[in-house]
Short mmCIF file of all heavy atoms in Angstrom, two decimals:
data_model
loop_
_atom_site.label_atom_id
_atom_site.label_comp_id
_atom_site.label_asym_id
_atom_site.label_seq_id
_atom_site.Cartn_x
_atom_site.Cartn_y
_atom_site.Cartn_z
N LEU R 300 -34.48 38.68 -4.61
CA LEU R 300 -35.40 38.96 -5.71
C LEU R 300 -35.87 40.41 -5.70
O LEU R 300 -36.08 41.01 -6.75
CB LEU R 300 -36.59 38.01 -5.63
CG LEU R 300 -36.24 36.52 -5.83
CD1 LEU R 300 -37.45 35.64 -5.55
CD2 LEU R 300 -35.72 36.27 -7.24
N GLU R 301 -36.02 41.00 -4.52
CA GLU R 301 -36.43 42.40 -4.42
C GLU R 301 -35.36 43.33 -4.99
O GLU R 301 -35.68 44.38 -5.55
CB GLU R 301 -36.70 42.77 -2.96
CG GLU R 301 -38.04 42.30 -2.43
CD GLU R 301 -39.20 43.15 -2.90
OE1 GLU R 301 -38.98 44.06 -3.72
OE2 GLU R 301 -40.34 42.90 -2.46
N THR R 302 -34.08 42.92 -4.87
CA THR R 302 -33.00 43.83 -5.25
C THR R 302 -32.47 43.60 -6.66
O THR R 302 -31.86 44.50 -7.24
CB THR R 302 -31.83 43.73 -4.26
OG1 THR R 302 -31.39 42.37 -4.19
CG2 THR R 302 -32.26 44.18 -2.88
N LEU R 303 -32.67 42.41 -7.24
CA LEU R 303 -32.13 42.15 -8.58
C LEU R 303 -32.76 43.08 -9.62
O LEU R 303 -33.97 43.30 -9.63
CB LEU R 303 -32.39 40.69 -8.98
CG LEU R 303 -31.41 39.65 -8.44
CD1 LEU R 303 -31.84 38.24 -8.88
CD2 LEU R 303 -29.98 39.91 -8.92
N ARG R 304 -31.93 43.61 -10.51
CA ARG R 304 -32.40 44.46 -11.60
C ARG R 304 -31.98 43.92 -12.97
O ARG R 304 -32.70 44.07 -13.94
CB ARG R 304 -31.85 45.89 -11.43
CG ARG R 304 -32.37 46.61 -10.20
CD ARG R 304 -33.88 46.81 -10.27
NE ARG R 304 -34.38 47.55 -9.12
CZ ARG R 304 -34.82 47.00 -8.00
NH1 ARG R 304 -34.81 45.68 -7.88
NH2 ARG R 304 -35.29 47.73 -7.01
N LEU R 305 -30.80 43.28 -13.04
CA LEU R 305 -30.30 42.77 -14.31
C LEU R 305 -29.28 41.67 -14.02
O LEU R 305 -28.39 41.85 -13.20
CB LEU R 305 -29.64 43.90 -15.11
CG LEU R 305 -28.91 43.53 -16.42
CD1 LEU R 305 -29.90 43.00 -17.46
CD2 LEU R 305 -28.16 44.75 -16.97
N VAL R 306 -29.43 40.53 -14.70
CA VAL R 306 -28.45 39.45 -14.62
C VAL R 306 -28.00 39.12 -16.03
O VAL R 306 -28.83 38.88 -16.92
CB VAL R 306 -29.01 38.19 -13.93
CG1 VAL R 306 -27.94 37.08 -13.89
CG2 VAL R 306 -29.46 38.50 -12.50
N ILE R 307 -26.69 39.11 -16.25
CA ILE R 307 -26.10 38.82 -17.55
C ILE R 307 -25.16 37.63 -17.40
O ILE R 307 -24.31 37.62 -16.51
CB ILE R 307 -25.27 40.02 -18.08
CG1 ILE R 307 -26.10 41.30 -18.08
CG2 ILE R 307 -24.72 39.72 -19.48
CD1 ILE R 307 -25.26 42.57 -18.22
N TRP R 308 -25.35 36.62 -18.22
CA TRP R 308 -24.41 35.51 -18.29
C TRP R 308 -23.61 35.66 -19.58
O TRP R 308 -24.18 35.76 -20.66
CB TRP R 308 -25.14 34.17 -18.30
CG TRP R 308 -24.23 32.97 -18.47
CD1 TRP R 308 -22.98 32.80 -17.94
CD2 TRP R 308 -24.50 31.78 -19.21
NE1 TRP R 308 -22.46 31.57 -18.29
CE2 TRP R 308 -23.37 30.92 -19.08
CE3 TRP R 308 -25.59 31.34 -19.96
CZ2 TRP R 308 -23.31 29.67 -19.69
CZ3 TRP R 308 -25.53 30.08 -20.56
CH2 TRP R 308 -24.39 29.26 -20.41
N GLN R 309 -22.29 35.71 -19.45
CA GLN R 309 -21.43 35.89 -20.61
C GLN R 309 -20.41 34.77 -20.71
O GLN R 309 -19.89 34.29 -19.72
CB GLN R 309 -20.71 37.24 -20.53
CG GLN R 309 -19.78 37.51 -21.71
CD GLN R 309 -19.31 38.95 -21.78
OE1 GLN R 309 -20.09 39.85 -22.08
NE2 GLN R 309 -18.04 39.19 -21.53
N LYS R 310 -20.12 34.34 -21.93
CA LYS R 310 -19.04 33.40 -22.19
C LYS R 310 -18.36 33.79 -23.48
O LYS R 310 -18.97 34.46 -24.34
CB LYS R 310 -19.55 31.96 -22.27
CG LYS R 310 -20.52 31.68 -23.41
CD LYS R 310 -20.91 30.20 -23.47
CE LYS R 310 -19.77 29.36 -23.98
NZ LYS R 310 -20.15 27.95 -24.21
N LEU R 311 -17.10 33.39 -23.64
CA LEU R 311 -16.37 33.63 -24.88
C LEU R 311 -16.35 32.35 -25.70
O LEU R 311 -16.03 31.28 -25.18
CB LEU R 311 -14.94 34.10 -24.58
CG LEU R 311 -14.80 35.41 -23.81
CD1 LEU R 311 -13.33 35.74 -23.59
CD2 LEU R 311 -15.50 36.55 -24.53
N ALA R 312 -16.68 32.46 -26.97
CA ALA R 312 -16.73 31.30 -27.86
C ALA R 312 -15.79 31.52 -29.04
O ALA R 312 -15.61 32.66 -29.49
CB ALA R 312 -18.15 31.08 -28.36
N PRO R 313 -15.18 30.44 -29.56
CA PRO R 313 -14.29 30.58 -30.72
C PRO R 313 -15.07 31.00 -31.96
O PRO R 313 -16.21 30.57 -32.17
CB PRO R 313 -13.70 29.17 -30.88
CG PRO R 313 -14.68 28.26 -30.21
CD PRO R 313 -15.28 29.05 -29.09
N THR R 314 -14.45 31.83 -32.79
CA THR R 314 -15.08 32.28 -34.03
C THR R 314 -14.50 31.52 -35.22
O THR R 314 -13.51 30.79 -35.08
CB THR R 314 -14.86 33.79 -34.22
OG1 THR R 314 -13.45 34.04 -34.26
CG2 THR R 314 -15.48 34.58 -33.09
N VAL R 315 -15.10 31.71 -36.37
CA VAL R 315 -14.65 30.99 -37.56
C VAL R 315 -13.26 31.43 -37.99
O VAL R 315 -12.55 30.68 -38.67
CB VAL R 315 -15.65 31.19 -38.72
CG1 VAL R 315 -16.98 30.55 -38.41
CG2 VAL R 315 -15.85 32.68 -39.03
N ASP R 316 -12.82 32.63 -37.57
CA ASP R 316 -11.49 33.10 -37.95
C ASP R 316 -10.44 32.86 -36.86
O ASP R 316 -9.36 33.44 -36.89
CB ASP R 316 -11.52 34.59 -38.33
CG ASP R 316 -11.98 35.47 -37.18
OD1 ASP R 316 -12.32 34.94 -36.11
OD2 ASP R 316 -12.00 36.71 -37.36
N GLY R 317 -10.77 31.99 -35.89
CA GLY R 317 -9.81 31.62 -34.87
C GLY R 317 -9.70 32.58 -33.70
O GLY R 317 -8.83 32.40 -32.84
N LYS R 318 -10.55 33.57 -33.63
CA LYS R 318 -10.56 34.50 -32.50
C LYS R 318 -11.68 34.10 -31.55
O LYS R 318 -12.10 32.95 -31.53
CB LYS R 318 -10.69 35.93 -33.00
CG LYS R 318 -9.51 36.37 -33.85
CD LYS R 318 -9.63 37.82 -34.31
CE LYS R 318 -8.43 38.22 -35.17
NZ LYS R 318 -8.54 39.63 -35.61
N ARG R 319 -12.15 35.04 -30.74
CA ARG R 319 -13.25 34.73 -29.82
C ARG R 319 -14.28 35.86 -29.81
O ARG R 319 -13.94 37.02 -30.06
CB ARG R 319 -12.72 34.49 -28.40
CG ARG R 319 -11.92 33.21 -28.28
CD ARG R 319 -11.57 32.87 -26.85
NE ARG R 319 -10.65 33.83 -26.25
CZ ARG R 319 -10.23 33.75 -24.99
NH1 ARG R 319 -10.66 32.78 -24.21
NH2 ARG R 319 -9.39 34.65 -24.52
N VAL R 320 -15.52 35.48 -29.53
CA VAL R 320 -16.60 36.46 -29.48
C VAL R 320 -17.39 36.25 -28.20
O VAL R 320 -17.52 35.11 -27.71
CB VAL R 320 -17.52 36.32 -30.72
CG1 VAL R 320 -18.26 34.98 -30.72
CG2 VAL R 320 -18.51 37.47 -30.81
N ALA R 321 -17.90 37.34 -27.62
CA ALA R 321 -18.71 37.25 -26.41
C ALA R 321 -20.14 36.87 -26.78
O ALA R 321 -20.75 37.48 -27.66
CB ALA R 321 -18.70 38.59 -25.67
N LEU R 322 -20.66 35.85 -26.11
CA LEU R 322 -22.07 35.46 -26.21
C LEU R 322 -22.74 35.79 -24.89
O LEU R 322 -22.16 35.57 -23.82
CB LEU R 322 -22.20 33.96 -26.50
CG LEU R 322 -21.53 33.43 -27.77
CD1 LEU R 322 -21.71 31.92 -27.87
CD2 LEU R 322 -22.10 34.12 -29.01
N ARG R 323 -23.97 36.30 -24.96
CA ARG R 323 -24.63 36.75 -23.73
C ARG R 323 -26.05 36.22 -23.62
O ARG R 323 -26.79 36.15 -24.61
CB ARG R 323 -24.66 38.28 -23.67
CG ARG R 323 -23.29 38.92 -23.66
CD ARG R 323 -23.35 40.41 -23.44
NE ARG R 323 -22.03 41.01 -23.66
CZ ARG R 323 -21.63 41.54 -24.81
NH1 ARG R 323 -22.49 41.62 -25.83
NH2 ARG R 323 -20.41 42.02 -24.95
N GLU R 324 -26.38 35.90 -22.39
CA GLU R 324 -27.75 35.60 -21.99
C GLU R 324 -28.11 36.62 -20.92
O GLU R 324 -27.29 36.93 -20.06
CB GLU R 324 -27.79 34.18 -21.41
CG GLU R 324 -29.08 33.78 -20.73
CD GLU R 324 -29.05 32.31 -20.31
OE1 GLU R 324 -29.00 31.44 -21.20
OE2 GLU R 324 -29.09 32.05 -19.09
N TYR R 325 -29.32 37.18 -20.98
CA TYR R 325 -29.65 38.17 -19.95
C TYR R 325 -31.15 38.24 -19.72
O TYR R 325 -31.97 37.87 -20.57
CB TYR R 325 -29.12 39.57 -20.33
CG TYR R 325 -29.88 40.27 -21.43
CD1 TYR R 325 -30.97 41.11 -21.15
CD2 TYR R 325 -29.53 40.10 -22.77
CE1 TYR R 325 -31.67 41.76 -22.15
CE2 TYR R 325 -30.23 40.75 -23.78
CZ TYR R 325 -31.29 41.57 -23.47
OH TYR R 325 -31.99 42.20 -24.47
N LEU R 326 -31.48 38.69 -18.51
CA LEU R 326 -32.87 38.93 -18.15
C LEU R 326 -32.93 40.20 -17.32
O LEU R 326 -32.17 40.36 -16.36
CB LEU R 326 -33.44 37.75 -17.35
CG LEU R 326 -34.88 37.92 -16.82
CD1 LEU R 326 -35.88 38.06 -17.99
CD2 LEU R 326 -35.26 36.75 -15.91
N VAL R 327 -33.83 41.10 -17.69
CA VAL R 327 -34.09 42.31 -16.91
C VAL R 327 -35.14 41.97 -15.85
O VAL R 327 -36.23 41.48 -16.18
CB VAL R 327 -34.59 43.46 -17.81
CG1 VAL R 327 -34.93 44.69 -16.96
CG2 VAL R 327 -33.55 43.80 -18.88
N PHE R 328 -34.80 42.20 -14.60
CA PHE R 328 -35.72 41.89 -13.50
C PHE R 328 -36.54 43.15 -13.20
O PHE R 328 -36.27 43.87 -12.22
CB PHE R 328 -34.93 41.43 -12.27
CG PHE R 328 -34.38 40.03 -12.39
CD1 PHE R 328 -33.33 39.76 -13.26
CD2 PHE R 328 -34.91 38.98 -11.65
CE1 PHE R 328 -32.82 38.48 -13.39
CE2 PHE R 328 -34.40 37.69 -11.77
CZ PHE R 328 -33.36 37.44 -12.64
N ASP R 329 -37.53 43.41 -14.06
CA ASP R 329 -38.41 44.56 -13.80
C ASP R 329 -39.41 44.18 -12.71
O ASP R 329 -39.41 43.06 -12.18
CB ASP R 329 -39.10 45.01 -15.09
CG ASP R 329 -39.94 43.90 -15.73
OD1 ASP R 329 -40.32 42.94 -15.04
OD2 ASP R 329 -40.20 44.00 -16.95
N GLN R 330 -40.27 45.11 -12.35
CA GLN R 330 -41.19 44.88 -11.23
C GLN R 330 -42.08 43.67 -11.47
O GLN R 330 -42.34 42.87 -10.56
CB GLN R 330 -42.05 46.12 -10.98
CG GLN R 330 -42.89 46.03 -9.70
CD GLN R 330 -42.04 45.95 -8.45
OE1 GLN R 330 -41.22 46.83 -8.20
NE2 GLN R 330 -42.21 44.90 -7.66
N GLU R 331 -42.54 43.48 -12.70
CA GLU R 331 -43.42 42.35 -12.99
C GLU R 331 -42.69 41.02 -12.84
O GLU R 331 -43.22 40.07 -12.26
CB GLU R 331 -43.98 42.49 -14.42
CG GLU R 331 -45.09 41.50 -14.72
CD GLU R 331 -45.77 41.78 -16.06
OE1 GLU R 331 -45.45 42.81 -16.69
OE2 GLU R 331 -46.61 40.96 -16.46
N VAL R 332 -41.47 40.95 -13.35
CA VAL R 332 -40.67 39.72 -13.21
C VAL R 332 -40.40 39.43 -11.74
O VAL R 332 -40.54 38.29 -11.27
CB VAL R 332 -39.34 39.84 -13.99
CG1 VAL R 332 -38.37 38.74 -13.58
CG2 VAL R 332 -39.60 39.80 -15.49
N ARG R 333 -40.04 40.46 -10.98
CA ARG R 333 -39.76 40.25 -9.55
C ARG R 333 -41.00 39.77 -8.82
O ARG R 333 -40.93 38.87 -7.96
CB ARG R 333 -39.22 41.54 -8.93
CG ARG R 333 -37.89 41.99 -9.52
CD ARG R 333 -37.17 42.97 -8.60
NE ARG R 333 -37.93 44.18 -8.34
CZ ARG R 333 -37.93 45.26 -9.10
NH1 ARG R 333 -37.23 45.29 -10.23
NH2 ARG R 333 -38.63 46.34 -8.77
N ASP R 334 -42.17 40.35 -9.13
CA ASP R 334 -43.41 39.93 -8.47
C ASP R 334 -43.72 38.46 -8.76
O ASP R 334 -44.15 37.72 -7.86
CB ASP R 334 -44.58 40.80 -8.92
CG ASP R 334 -44.51 42.22 -8.34
OD1 ASP R 334 -43.74 42.42 -7.39
OD2 ASP R 334 -45.22 43.10 -8.87
#
Side-chain angles (χ1 to χ4, degrees):
L300 296 172
E301 282 283 5
T302 56
L303 279 178
R304 295 297 182 268
L305 173 65
V306 179
I307 307 164
W308 176 37
Q309 180 167 290
K310 63 176 288 187
L311 298 180
T314 59
V315 294
D316 60 357
K318 296 182 180 180
R319 291 189 293 178
V320 65
L322 301 178
R323 299 186 189 95
E324 170 175 295
Y325 74 90
L326 176 63
V327 177
F328 286 71
D329 58 21
Q330 189 64 57
E331 190 172 354
V332 166
R333 297 199 301 273
D334 287 345

